[in-house]
Amino acid sequence: MNVILLGAPGSGKGTQAQRLVKKYGILHVSTGDIFREAVAKGESIGKEVQSYMKAGALVPDELTVKVVATRLDRPDCEKGFLLDGFPRTVSQAQALEKILETKKKKIDVAVYLKLTEQEVIKRLSGRRHCAQCAKVYNLVSQPPKKADQCDACGGSLIQREDDKPETVKKRIVVYQESTQPLIVYYQEKKLLETVSGDGDIDSVTQTLYRTLDRFLQSSR
Ligand code: AP5
Ligand code: MG
């Protein structure tokens, strides 16, 4: 099963993706994670993308598509994949179709995780992650047992640079202008499933499981 997880910044894509890939035995491909890792390792791609990410802008399509194409070339994608944060523009979606065509693959379903702007802002302002093991917390909905300390490894909790209020505002505008058109794009292709991202993490996961299970059953 090849899945796209669409949604605003902070809608819960990363949180839910981790659970979905475990349950369905597919690979998690997050362009945001790939870029952040490249920045952290000081790789040349990291140097190219850093300024865009810091400003809350999109990394240029050409570079993003190249990174995804390289990742989808690896054999571990054969078992299926979940794309988190890609595509983010119609041009990226079209490029993805071309990449998959050459591999005789296709997208089976695009799941749109729907959440209000108000809730998005609340979630992003409370997000923290461990500087050591990257585990994600939320000061409101998923607080650590000890303040500023990771439950799993004791590392210190930090805020993502692009979660500062000014950058969050920019990311939301970029999402509305460039990524939201993909909802109609996948609707027209009859690939869209809309799931509410509201509610606690477990209940959203259960709705996603039901949606994907239904999809799997109907495609058998
Ligand atoms: P990326 O890393 O993809 O960021 P994003 O799309 O802005 O989304 P986030 O990762 O911020 O949120 P999420 O939906 O994963 O939410 P999460 O699960 O963490 O991209 C970052 C940057 O990289 C971009 O700005 C751009 O520069 C570049 N980039 C990446 N892909 C690109 C592309 N394709 N093209 C061009 N540029 C690209 O949850 C958020 C918080 O809420 C957490 O604290 C979590 O604990 C909490 N939470 C989750 N679910 C719930 C719930 N149900 N109830 C309460 N709290 C919850
Ligand atoms: Mg994410």
Side-chain angles (χ1 to χ4, degrees):
M1 178 167 59
N2 300 327
V3 183
I4 290 172
L5 197 51
L6 269 177
S11 56
K13 301 183 297 297
T15 304
Q16 298 298 337
Q18 284 185 355
R19 294 168 172 214
L20 295 175
V21 296
K22 244 188 226 158
K23 174 163 163 87
Y24 297 102
I26 56 179
L27 188 84
H28 183 191
V29 179
S30 156
T31 38
D33 288 349
I34 294 173
F35 290 152
R36 275 185 292 279
E37 196 182 322
V39 171
K41 288 184 175 163
E43 290 170 0
S44 63
I45 284 182
K47 294 195 175 98
E48 277 185 72
V49 303
Q50 202 164 20
S51 59
Y52 297 102
M53 295 179 82
K54 200 172 168 187
L58 291 182
V59 171
D61 286 342
E62 201 186 334
L63 176 58
T64 307
V65 167
K66 210 163 99 188
V67 164
V68 173
T70 307
R71 186 63 193 90
L72 293 182
D73 254 347
R74 298 209 333 230
D76 55 359
C77 291
E78 290 305 316
K79 56 189 179 184
F81 52 79
L82 183 151
L83 297 173
D84 159 6
F86 180 90
R88 250 175 157 97
T89 62
V90 170
S91 142
Q92 289 183 11
Q94 289 164 340
L96 174 65
E97 273 154 39
K98 289 208 184 108
I99 294 168
L100 295 180
E101 235 173 70
T102 63
K103 300 179 185 300
K104 303 210 174 354
K105 286 188 202 299
K106 61 179 178 47
I107 291 300
D108 295 305
V109 59
V111 180
Y112 165 42
L113 210 48
K114 191 174 177 182
L115 198 66
T116 62
E117 187 177 325
Q118 204 185 3
E119 183 64 20
V120 156
I121 292 170
K122 210 164 89 186
R123 286 192 192 173
L124 289 179
S125 64
R127 176 165 59 186
R128 299 289 183 275
H129 69 274
C130 175
Q132 230 159 261
C133 74
K135 188 172 159 52
V136 176
Y137 293 85
N138 191 283
L139 300 183
V140 181
S141 58
Q142 259 190 312
K145 290 193 184 97
K146 274 191 196 163
D148 303 325
Q149 198 177 313
C150 177
D151 297 345
C153 74
S156 13
L157 300 188
I158 53 171
Q159 187 173 38
R160 234 169 77 174
E161 202 169 3
D162 58 351
D163 280 348
K164 307 267 156 68
E166 277 317 298
T167 319
V168 165
K169 269 191 215 152
K170 174 79 198 296
R171 284 163 64 203
I172 291 172
V173 171
V174 167
Y175 167 76
Q176 288 164 343
E177 287 175 358
S178 306
T179 309
Q180 256 179 354
L182 286 177
I183 296 165
V184 173
Y185 182 87
Y186 286 114
Q187 209 164 28
E188 284 172 352
K189 291 189 177 289
K190 304 213 177 329
L191 289 175
L192 194 81
E193 290 281 348
T194 301
V195 166
S196 169
D198 213 358
D200 62 50
I201 295 176
D202 287 344
S203 69
V204 175
T205 307
Q206 290 309 319
T207 314
L208 285 167
Y209 286 169
R210 278 200 297 278
T211 304
L212 292 181
D213 284 348
R214 205 177 55 232
F215 170 78
L216 277 175
Q217 273 160 13
S218 68
S219 64
R220 267 188 199 131

